[in-house]
């Protein structure tokens, strides 16, 4: 409740914790999620632009780690048609309307840029479970070399710049598509 130290022990994360500080009224929240030990194999991120799968990213924690966040992971990028993820992709895309309905968002537009992150699991009805949906802090991975106070797009390789531009172009097209759909329904 109070972040690192004391009974919570030492944290290696830079995040201060305090998820419940201020209670529900202040936005404090915690999702009770079971430990999925196969996270050490990495998570499979489906990077979506509205209703279109743009990329599949395998985020594997660094050796000995259990978290693939905060830049402490090795990333492998796959195209949406990667055969090793075809079944997961098909199931995920088919389930999106049901997922939206289950969250009370049926009929709402999908976020422009969002992800579904899957963790491998044993003893379950499917080989992966969804670990999270993320639409609040999804980055443009290929532009990561431009992040920092003394960096800009000149730090990005030509190959990564072209791939990042392909993503941002699609984001623009999907944003216009969403605005047109909203206008048409008004």
């Amino acid at each position: 409740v109070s972040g690192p130290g004391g009974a919570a022990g030492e944290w290696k994360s830079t995040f201060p914790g305090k998820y419940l500080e201020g209670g529900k009224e202040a936005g404090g929240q915690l999702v009770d999620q079971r430990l999925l030990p196969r996270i050490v194999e990495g998570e499979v991120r489906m990077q979506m632009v509205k209703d279109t799968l743009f990329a599949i990213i395998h985020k594997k924690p660094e050796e000995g780690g259990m978290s693939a966040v905060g830049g402490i992971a090795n990333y492998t990028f796959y195209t949406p048609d990667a055969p090793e993820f075809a079944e997961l992709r098909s199931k995920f895309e088919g389930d999106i309307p049901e997922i939206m309905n289950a969250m009370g968002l049926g009929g709402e537009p999908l976020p422009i840029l969002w992800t579904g992150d899957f963790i491998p699991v044993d003893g379950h009805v499917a080989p992966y479970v969804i670990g999270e949906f993320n639409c609040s802090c999804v980055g443009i991975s290929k532009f990561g070399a431009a992040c920092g106070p003394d960096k800009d797009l000149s730090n990005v390789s030509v190959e990564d710049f072209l791939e990042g531009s392909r993503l941002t172009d699609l984001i623009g097209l999907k944003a216009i598509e969403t605005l047109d759909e909203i206008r048409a329904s008004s």
Side-chain angles (χ1 to χ4, degrees):
V1 173
S2 300
E10 179 186 347
W11 293 13
K12 301 207 180 214
S13 162
T14 58
F15 189 74
K18 303 182 181 182
Y19 299 99
L20 305 176
E21 187 173 80
K24 185 176 181 180
E25 299 75 29
Q29 59 183 322
L30 184 69
V31 175
D32 186 13
Q33 181 175 339
R34 70 180 170 143
L35 173 65
L36 300 170
R38 289 186 58 200
I39 187 68
V40 298
E41 299 170 33
E43 60 186 51
V44 177
R45 169 168 277 187
M46 299 284 178
Q47 184 180 40
M48 305 293 294
V49 180
K50 192 176 173 193
D51 56 355
T52 300
L53 178 62
F54 180 80
I56 300 170
I57 306 165
H58 183 235
K59 298 170 40 176
K60 187 174 188 303
E62 288 184 356
E63 192 64 37
M66 288 193 72
S67 176
V69 298
I72 54 172
N74 297 305
Y75 290 68
T76 304
F77 293 84
Y78 296 87
T79 59
D81 60 352
E84 55 268 70
F85 301 112
E87 186 177 339
L88 180 61
R89 173 192 180 173
S90 175
K91 182 76 172 125
F92 179 49
E93 289 177 333
D95 284 348
I96 289 173
E98 288 180 56
I99 293 167
M100 292 291 284
N101 285 334
M103 293 190 297
L105 298 171
E108 294 293 326
L110 288 164
I112 298 296
L113 181 62
W114 63 285
T115 67
D117 295 348
F118 294 84
I119 301 170
V121 65
D122 293 318
H124 190 64
V125 296
Y128 290 91
V129 295
I130 190 78
E132 73 173 311
F133 297 105
N134 191 341
C135 60
S136 63
C137 60
V138 179
I140 311 294
S141 300
K142 296 296 184 170
F143 289 164
C147 295
D150 300 324
K151 297 179 181 179
D152 58 33
L153 287 175
S154 67
N155 296 95
V156 177
S157 71
V158 171
E159 179 183 349
D160 285 353
F161 181 83
L162 292 173
E163 186 68 4
S165 294
R166 196 170 71 80
L167 174 56
T168 55
D169 289 349
L170 181 58
I171 290 170
L173 290 172
K174 291 295 183 173
I176 292 168
E177 178 183 286
T178 301
L179 291 172
D180 288 345
E181 289 169 356
I182 291 169
R183 271 192 218 110
S185 69
S186 311

